[in-house]
């Protein structure tokens, strides 16, 4: 499956949140390098936030 097909699948899915759909549409209008850097920073920040919220000893473990 190509990235364009996967993106369309995510956008078409009724289980995809409105927030994610809106964020994805906004990112698609931007330069791909800048959009990727912003998305990576967002993931980094959210993972750090999640790790702070998890009980000690559970962060980073599967």
């Amino acid at each position: 499956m190509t990235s364009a097909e996967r993106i369309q699948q995510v956008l078409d899915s009724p289980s995809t949140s409105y927030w994610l759909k809106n964020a994805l549409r906004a990112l698609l209008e931007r330069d791909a390098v800048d959009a990727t850097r912003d998305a990576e920073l967002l993931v980094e920040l959210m993972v750090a936030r999640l790790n702070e919220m998890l009980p000690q000893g559970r962060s980073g473990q599967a």
Side-chain angles (χ1 to χ4, degrees), residues 4-59:
E5 291 169 333
R6 179 72 176 117
I7 289 167
Q8 195 59 54
Q9 182 181 48
V10 170
L11 290 172
D12 291 343
S13 174
S15 66
T16 302
S17 71
Y18 288 111
W19 181 89
L20 181 55
K21 288 179 182 183
N22 290 333
L24 185 52
R25 286 184 189 111
L27 289 171
L28 290 171
E29 294 178 8
R30 301 185 54 220
D31 174 77
V33 173
D34 291 340
T36 300
R37 287 181 182 153
D38 286 351
E40 288 172 342
L41 178 56
L42 180 60
V43 168
E44 179 184 324
L45 293 169
M46 292 298 95
V47 167
R49 180 175 182 255
L50 176 61
N51 286 338
E52 290 171 358
M53 296 172 74
L54 291 174
Q56 190 165 8
R58 292 198 54 195
S59 63

